[in-house]
Amino acid sequence: MRIPLDYYRILGVPLQATAEQLQQAHRDRTMQLPRREYSETAIGSRKSLLDRAYNVLSNPEAKTAYDQKTFHKLPGQGQEETQIQETLPSLEVEDPQVLGALLILLELGEYELVLNLGTEYLEHFSSEPPEGSQINTIPQLSRADVVLTLALSGLELGREQWQQGTYEQAALSLENAEKLLLKEGVFPSLRGELQADLYKLRPYRILELLSENSEDGIAHRHGIQMLRDMLQERGGLDGTGDDQSGLSIDDFLRFIQQLRSYLTSLEQQTLFETEAQRPSAVATYLAVYALLVRGFAYKQPALINRAKRMLMRLGSRQDVHLEQAVCCLLLGQTEEATRALELSREYEQLGFIRENSQGAPDLLPGLCLYSERWLQEEVFPHFQDLAGCEQTLKEYFADDQVQAYLEALPLDRTEQNQWSVVESKPETLSKRERQGKVSLKKTEEMASISSAAVREQGEHQGRRVPATTAMLTRSEPPKAKTGRSPVVPGDRPANQRPVPSGQRRGSSRRSNSTTGKSSIHWGRLALLAASGLLGLWLLIWLIGQAIGLVGSLFNTTPGLEGEQLQLMLNQPPIEIPEPPAQPTADTGPLTEERAKVVIETWLSTKANAFGSNHQVDELSSILVDPALSTQRQRATQDQQDNFYGEYEHELMINDVTINLDDEDRATVDATVNESVEFYRNGEVDRGASYNDEIRVEYELIREDGQWRIQDWSV
């Protein structure tokens, strides 16, 4: 098979590499072994290619002949400006070296090329060789190694696409790799890595799928289904189940808030009403928003009534009185809206409402203005179908269907009583519930309402269709179907029989007289009882004081013997231990001194993790992924194999390079003299032990104010 590689890329050296550089590169590449899952056949195939490249390039005559054959000089250039141009060099490799070539391409990051060549290689050699044929003997022995290389390429390609923001492509690469391993029935630990990445990738995929505007909507529906799967695994919006995404409850709620703008009001209503049945306070609150916004925008007050009933369930746990007031306003229940405002503790919003209700007999003018602005500026943007939509209270109340529904809405005094007894206790909210409540932004521009509208509002305050209808539409609301007069503040209830004026005045006087006498009689009795209790208490107190005085005169009890406890204000009675020192955050650019400390910490941690005690947990204190996952897996495998080493290190920092785009990332060039003696089952493994000096390039990243090692290359 012809592989697009050349000897320089195999060794990782430039065209002008010296003999010393070639020797060092060959040595480093030989020591840098692939994953433990590879067989000796795969490792030997890779080493044979490294030896082949080194043998040619280290021989001056062979190197010259190879360069002339593989590269050519650009025409028309002088001797000093001569440039070497690569003309897609390739190598013809025999079957035993194909696996080594795929391994080297994988190390060079040519993941797509590995997938193409490896898939072709597997298809070319069937799983069962023809009867009597020996052609497929070597490939069959290495089939698992080829599958492993393809799976690793899929894993790394998926992570690379993940970083680039193409989440569905990343998922496809990971899924194909997982299917291949599942089909072959090999390397379950690698399948676990692929599945873990797919779980962590799922929130990103959901956002990408929901944001697509395809005509068929297949991607959008797929995203919603994935979201439902996550909710089911977590046990709801604020559930404690594990969906393996790595998102905490707070992170997941922020994720839900982020994706809401990609869902329509109907999709949110369906989703959150279902989740509210778990039950979930957060889902209930979000369902209220969806119902409220749909009812207002699409002029369906029945949905607003449903939202109001759902708010009743939250009233004893959250301060939702402002939302209740908005619902009552849109349902024409102006008295209930006023009572809800009185119970609210949203002081900033109430200040806006009061300021815009100056001169009016109640807070309805300010509530109207606040509700309209709040819905348009704070609520509509969170719904895909309503972002940028403009809807006014005037248009809402002028709708015939809205007026018909509000006229037919019965008076529910039970609900009114519930509004009044619910207390606002915002301080008892859990952190989870606070996350579910959408914040209300203070409106900067204040709108004025004309005095004529305010007067008209006062005249129609208690009607079933609210005063705001008259204020906004300038039209007389329809009469009640029952023919009864509307109830207004200070008036009698509609079902009370009228009393003639003479009787009403007389009965009123008699009632007042009787009430006055009763009040005087019970007041005197209460005064006499209070005086008696006070005198009795004073007598008991005097007797107690006298007994205490007599007892002190005849008290002969000896004092406490022995050394007394000396309490002093300037020092504690017992020694208080000093709290453990907290690591100070590293600020500013990475220095060579600090880099040396980080690398030395890693070398010491490495000796502990891969030593006889197998202190694997220490790796997380200095490494982050991908290095952490790789080294943790190796250390765990060593522990299972009863394999460990005794390490000694010497370190020299050559250079520190700070990333120009991100000062929290840096590259450290270091020379490490590593001496290690390995033991297997308690006996020295001479073949594995070594004492070498290597050149390592470490990739460092600063997380939470501490430098960690993310990866390295030898």
Side-chain angles (χ1 to χ4, degrees):
M1 178 178 285
R2 183 161 289 275
I3 304 292
L5 272 175
D6 62 80
Y7 292 149
Y8 292 96
R9 292 191 71 199
I10 290 175
L11 292 179
V13 295
L15 298 177
Q16 299 81 12
T18 63
E20 291 77 10
Q21 290 175 325
L22 289 171
Q23 184 179 9
Q24 183 68 37
H26 177 258
R27 187 178 184 180
D28 292 345
R29 297 281 282 155
T30 303
M31 291 179 56
Q32 187 180 5
L33 298 178
R35 288 176 62 124
R36 288 183 175 276
E37 292 89 345
Y38 280 104
S39 67
E40 293 296 331
T41 303
I43 296 174
S45 175
R46 173 179 176 273
K47 186 176 185 304
S48 66
L49 269 180
L50 293 172
D51 293 342
R52 175 179 167 183
Y54 177 70
N55 291 335
V56 171
L57 297 183
S58 62
N59 187 325
E61 295 180 359
K63 179 178 183 298
T64 302
Y66 174 74
D67 291 345
Q68 291 177 351
K69 180 181 177 180
T70 309
F71 307 98
H72 67 85
K73 297 179 181 180
L74 292 175
Q77 293 180 332
Q79 184 67 26
E80 296 180 357
E81 299 178 354
T82 299
Q83 296 181 0
I84 302 299
Q85 180 185 20
E86 187 175 351
T87 57
L88 298 177
S90 59
L91 291 175
E92 188 71 33
V93 295
E94 301 297 330
D95 289 337
Q97 291 184 334
V98 170
L99 180 54
L102 292 177
L103 259 173
I104 290 174
L105 286 172
L106 173 64
E107 294 168 356
L108 293 173
E110 299 285 354
Y111 308 126
E112 294 183 358
L113 186 57
V114 171
L115 291 171
N116 293 333
L117 294 174
T119 303
E120 179 184 345
Y121 187 71
L122 284 182
E123 292 175 352
H124 179 68
F125 293 97
S126 59
S127 58
E128 295 182 2
E131 186 177 354
S133 173
Q134 299 298 323
I135 297 177
N136 290 342
T137 302
I138 295 178
Q140 286 305 109
L141 292 175
S142 303
R143 182 179 182 85
D145 292 318
V146 176
V147 171
L148 175 60
T149 305
L150 290 174
L152 289 174
S153 296
L155 175 64
E156 296 302 330
L157 179 61
R159 290 173 174 174
E160 188 177 271
Q161 292 167 333
W162 186 348
Q163 294 295 330
Q164 295 171 353
T166 54
Y167 305 122
E168 277 301 289
Q169 286 295 327
L172 182 61
S173 299
L174 295 172
E175 288 172 349
N176 289 339
E178 186 184 26
K179 290 177 183 176
L180 176 62
L181 293 178
L182 193 61
K183 177 183 176 183
E184 298 290 332
V186 292
F187 308 116
S189 61
L190 182 55
R191 289 208 309 270
E193 285 186 51
L194 290 162
Q195 190 61 52
D197 275 13
L198 282 170
Y199 279 125
K200 292 178 181 178
L201 183 62
R202 188 160 52 171
Y204 299 91
R205 296 177 63 191
I206 292 173
L207 281 173
E208 184 178 48
L209 290 170
L210 293 181
S211 62
E212 289 187 8
N213 295 320
S214 55
E215 295 181 359
D216 54 12
I218 295 178
H220 191 86
R221 290 194 295 272
H222 184 39
I224 293 179
Q225 184 57 48
M226 291 179 67
L227 176 61
R228 291 184 183 276
D229 293 341
M230 284 190 72
L231 288 168
Q232 185 64 30
E233 293 169 17
R234 297 182 69 93
L237 287 174
D238 43 0
T240 57
D242 184 13
D243 61 354
Q244 301 183 58
S245 66
L247 297 178
S248 65
I249 294 177
D250 292 341
D251 292 335
F252 186 72
L253 290 177
R254 282 190 286 268
F255 165 65
I256 292 295
Q257 187 72 352
Q258 185 179 0
L259 61 80
R260 284 181 61 211
S261 58
Y262 300 114
L263 297 174
T264 65
S265 56
L266 179 58
E267 289 170 340
Q268 291 193 39
Q269 176 191 335
T270 305
L271 178 67
F272 296 133
E273 275 193 308
T274 302
E275 290 299 313
Q277 297 173 7
R278 288 188 184 269
S280 167
V282 176
T284 301
Y285 193 86
L286 293 175
V288 166
Y289 267 64
L291 289 166
L292 178 60
V293 76
R294 288 196 70 224
F296 177 65
Y298 297 110
K299 302 177 179 62
Q300 299 180 32
L303 298 179
I304 299 174
N305 204 15
R306 283 168 60 184
K308 175 187 171 185
R309 290 196 297 270
M310 294 184 76
L311 283 172
M312 299 293 296
R313 301 202 299 266
L314 295 175
S316 61
R317 304 171 60 189
Q318 291 181 260
D319 181 6
V320 292
H321 299 101
L322 197 57
E323 291 86 345
Q324 292 169 350
V326 175
C327 287
C328 292
L329 173 67
L330 296 177
L331 292 174
Q333 298 163 339
T334 56
E335 293 182 35
E336 291 186 50
T338 301
R339 284 195 294 272
L341 285 179
E342 293 172 354
L343 296 172
S344 176
R345 295 297 180 269
E346 302 278 357
Y347 298 112
E348 185 177 348
Q349 289 72 35
L350 289 175
F352 172 82
I353 293 173
R354 289 192 182 96
E355 185 172 347
N356 286 274
S357 299
Q358 293 180 3
D362 51 32
L363 299 178
L364 289 177
L367 179 60
C368 291
L369 181 60
Y370 169 78
S371 300
E372 187 173 288
R373 290 192 175 186
W374 175 65
L375 287 167
Q376 276 195 191
E377 298 176 6
E378 295 293 321
V379 184
F380 279 6
H382 292 286
F383 298 87
Q384 186 186 48
D385 55 328
L386 298 176
C389 174
E390 294 185 1
Q391 177 70 275
T392 64
L393 287 175
K394 180 177 180 180
E395 295 170 345
Y396 170 80
F397 284 116
D399 185 81
D400 293 337
Q401 293 183 354
V402 172
Q403 291 193 11
Y405 181 88
L406 299 187
E407 282 289 336
L409 196 64
L411 180 65
D412 192 344
R413 296 197 176 277
T414 303
E415 285 191 2
Q416 290 185 11
N417 293 335
Q418 290 178 354
W419 291 115
S420 61
V421 299
V422 172
E423 296 182 2
S424 173
K425 298 181 179 179
E427 67 278 1
T428 63
L429 292 180
S430 66
K431 185 177 182 181
R432 182 183 311 169
E433 291 170 338
R434 288 197 302 270
Q435 288 286 351
K437 188 167 183 178
V438 181
S439 61
L440 303 175
K441 181 179 62 178
K442 180 180 180 180
T443 309
E444 296 178 356
E445 299 179 0
M446 305 299 184
S448 59
I449 299 179
S450 64
S451 57
V454 172
R455 287 195 300 271
E456 189 173 358
Q457 177 271 335
E459 295 171 0
H460 301 278
Q461 181 179 356
R463 303 187 64 86
R464 188 60 52 230
V465 177
T468 51
T469 305
M471 181 170 62
L472 295 172
T473 61
R474 306 294 183 185
S475 59
E476 181 68 18
K479 300 291 184 181
K481 293 183 180 180
T482 59
R484 296 179 298 175
S485 300
V487 180
V488 296
D491 201 358
R492 66 179 183 274
N495 58 357
Q496 180 178 326
R497 183 181 299 276
V499 180
S501 59
Q503 291 183 11
R504 185 160 59 244
R505 286 193 296 270
S507 61
S508 175
R509 284 194 299 270
R510 284 194 299 271
S511 175
N512 291 341
S513 175
T514 304
T515 303
K517 292 179 180 179
S518 177
S519 300
I520 295 172
H521 175 70
W522 286 107
R524 289 177 178 175
L525 287 178
L527 180 60
L528 289 174
S531 301
L533 290 174
L534 179 60
L536 180 61
W537 176 82
L538 182 60
L539 178 61
I540 292 173
W541 181 79
L542 291 174
I543 293 173
Q545 293 294 319
I547 293 174
L549 179 60
V550 173
S552 63
L553 293 176
F554 296 95
N555 185 17
T556 60
T557 303
L560 293 176
E561 297 180 356
E563 183 180 356
Q564 303 300 308
L565 178 64
Q566 298 296 324
L567 297 179
M568 304 180 66
L569 296 178
N570 60 351
Q571 64 182 27
I574 60 174
E575 183 179 355
I576 301 176
E578 293 292 333
Q582 299 294 328
T584 58
D586 282 335
T587 58
L590 180 67
T591 63
E592 287 193 10
E593 291 77 9
R594 183 55 188 154
K596 186 174 183 179
V597 172
V598 174
I599 306 302
E600 285 178 341
T601 302
W602 152 237
L603 296 176
S604 174
T605 304
K606 177 182 178 180
N608 294 333
F610 293 93
S612 57
N613 294 328
H614 299 287
Q615 299 175 8
V616 182
D617 293 338
E618 291 188 10
L619 293 172
S620 59
S621 65
I622 189 62
L623 299 181
V624 296
D625 285 333
L628 176 58
S629 300
T630 304
Q631 298 303 313
R632 181 183 286 158
Q633 184 178 8
R634 284 187 54 198
T636 303
Q637 187 64 46
D638 284 354
Q639 186 175 12
Q640 295 173 358
D641 297 342
N642 196 15
F643 182 81
Y644 66 91
E646 294 181 353
Y647 290 81
E648 291 183 4
H649 297 99
E650 292 182 5
L651 173 67
M652 182 177 69
I653 303 297
N654 302 319
D655 187 30
V656 176
T657 304
I658 307 297
N659 191 311
L660 297 179
D661 298 327
D662 186 357
E663 68 173 9
D664 289 335
R665 292 179 178 272
T667 303
V668 178
D669 182 0
T671 300
V672 181
N673 193 328
E674 186 172 66
S675 174
V676 56
E677 191 170 57
F678 287 109
Y679 293 82
R680 190 182 299 274
N681 297 323
E683 297 183 358
V684 178
D685 188 342
R686 299 295 181 186
S689 303
Y690 61 85
N691 182 1
D692 266 322
E693 183 179 272
I694 56 177
R695 187 84 171 268
V696 189
E697 189 175 81
Y698 294 95
E699 296 178 12
L700 272 61
I701 184 172
R702 180 162 45 195
E703 290 188 350
D704 299 327
Q706 300 297 320
W707 286 100
R708 300 286 188 267
I709 298 176
Q710 190 174 40
D711 205 353
W712 61 79
S713 58
V714 179

